[in-house]
Amino acid sequence: MVTERSDVTQILAEIFREHGYAGASLSEITNRTGLGKGSLYHLFPDGKEGMARAVLFEVADWFEENVFMPMRAPDNPDGGIDHMFTEVLRFFDTGRRTCLMGAFALDDARDRFPSEIQAYFLDWTRMLATALRRSGFEKNAAREAAEEVVAGIQGALVLARSLGDPAIFVRAIKRLRKRTGLDQQV
Amino acid sequence: MVTERSDVTQILAEIFREHGYAGASLSEITNRTGLGKGSLYHLFPDGKEGMARAVLFEVADWFEENVFMPMRAPDNPDGGIDHMFTEVLRFFDTGRRTCLMGAFALDDARDRFPSEIQAYFLDWTRMLATALRRSGFEKNAAREAAEEVVAGIQGALVLARSLGDPAIFVRAIKRLRKRTGLDQQV
DNA sequence: CTTGTTGTGTACCATTTGGTACAAATTAGC
DNA sequence: GCTAATTTGTACCAAATGGTACACAACAAG
């Protein structure tokens, strides 16, 4: 059996990504996890909302560890930014996977987890902006470029999913990576 | 009373935008439209799916008329592109409104209306790409720029909604408008 | 082996879901 | 003003929703 909370969270993330919050039914959750309601409500006493919250937390945690932390290294900011693109590409399965935060942002879940969603995007843009500054960007240019990159990633995920063409995401990453290069910073 | 199908479709669009497909309940639909189920199922014999389909069709139609058609004008392609940005800014209520197609793409609805969603984004990128070509862009550069613009718009809408800051969308439009200028076409 | 705790499955719950039936109201056409 | 068609509200439906109760299993500690 699954039994481990982190394993369950992984599956839950996948389900929420596919169906959004409202569309993720408990019946599908019990099916895909193989867990009865008893175990499920033992692991997540707050029910569906608790499950979603756990998933959101896990995603935020993953980004903190794998993207933000490396980006904070005061020396070698370019390395941190490059690393971000690599990890993001991997995280979204080269464009095959959708963004949970983005899905929730356009869904019922927005009203349920506004602060979590906001924090995710705020952290991301801020981290990237400061890294860009340290990499030589002027203050406003850094802020704007960070916004462009994060939005570009989200949009490319939407487009890739809509057209069923992950290559769109790969192209976007390449483009945005170039965008953060020092040649266009002004 | 409302009675007019187009009025109802307008309200339905708003509801689907706010809650996604799965999250839009018939009870809210009857409340917001003020129509009983009788009238609703008379107007849309296929129920909720029919309502969503009508809304999708209406959106596609709006874009066809207000964005694509002006963009097809063989002379003055720059005007068509400029016009697109203006209309898009207006359509999304300066960043306060979310994109229905994007919301559906990240939702259950994706499996229900794959061709409609695909057609929307495919039409948009293709129209824009040919306009950009006529405006002087090289073939591949035009394709790539179109992809960047459409993705950028979608991403900016996600970001603006997540952070509750419509200005993000306005900045993105300004940025992308510049991106389609002849100065960067390569 | 006993005991107490931690998990787990099943049956059940009220509520809500999307959808239907149908009679009454409204609106035509004449 | 009468009839026939179109609209509309209400009551109803089975199914599914998220959630709870609770008995039982696993398992550790003593």
Side-chain angles (χ1 to χ4, degrees), chain B residues 10-165:
Chain B
Q10 211 68 12
I11 299 173
L12 290 175
E14 219 50 56
I15 297 175
F16 282 126
R17 256 189 273 267
E18 287 172 25
H19 302 289
Y21 182 77
S25 69
L26 276 205
S27 73
E28 175 152 16
I29 291 176
T30 53
N31 284 342
R32 299 257 298 257
T33 59
L35 262 53
K37 291 195 182 187
S39 330
L40 228 37
Y41 274 81
H42 177 71
L43 258 60
F44 306 94
D46 292 339
K48 194 174 163 182
E49 177 152 351
M51 301 179 206
R53 212 174 283 280
V55 171
L56 287 177
F57 183 81
E58 213 224 27
V59 169
D61 203 52
W62 190 94
F63 267 79
E64 174 57 36
E65 182 160 346
N66 296 75
V67 176
F68 301 158
M69 230 180 58
M71 214 153 54
R72 266 194 277 268
D75 54 325
N76 191 17
D78 293 339
I81 295 168
D82 251 36
H83 183 260
M84 178 197 89
F85 283 115
T86 309
E87 288 297 302
V88 163
L89 200 59
R90 213 163 52 95
F91 182 76
F92 291 114
D93 195 13
T94 334
R96 272 178 291 271
R97 188 192 265 180
T98 230
C99 177
L100 184 82
M101 298 284 181
F104 275 17
L106 303 180
D107 189 305
D108 269 34
R110 177 196 50 239
D111 305 318
R112 225 178 265 264
F113 314 106
S115 58
E116 285 84 351
I117 297 170
Q118 183 171 347
Y120 173 79
F121 286 114
L122 212 56
D123 287 353
W124 196 351
T125 49
R126 283 216 268 241
M127 285 294 135
L128 183 53
T130 65
L132 285 169
R133 280 210 70 182
R134 264 184 283 133
S135 148
F137 274 69
E138 187 264 331
K139 185 175 178 185
N140 274 328
R143 209 178 41 74
E144 178 117 356
E147 217 167 87
E148 180 176 348
V149 168
V150 176
I153 288 171
Q154 291 299 314
L157 286 171
V158 172
L159 215 57
R161 165 67 67 151
S162 300
L163 298 177
D165 179 9

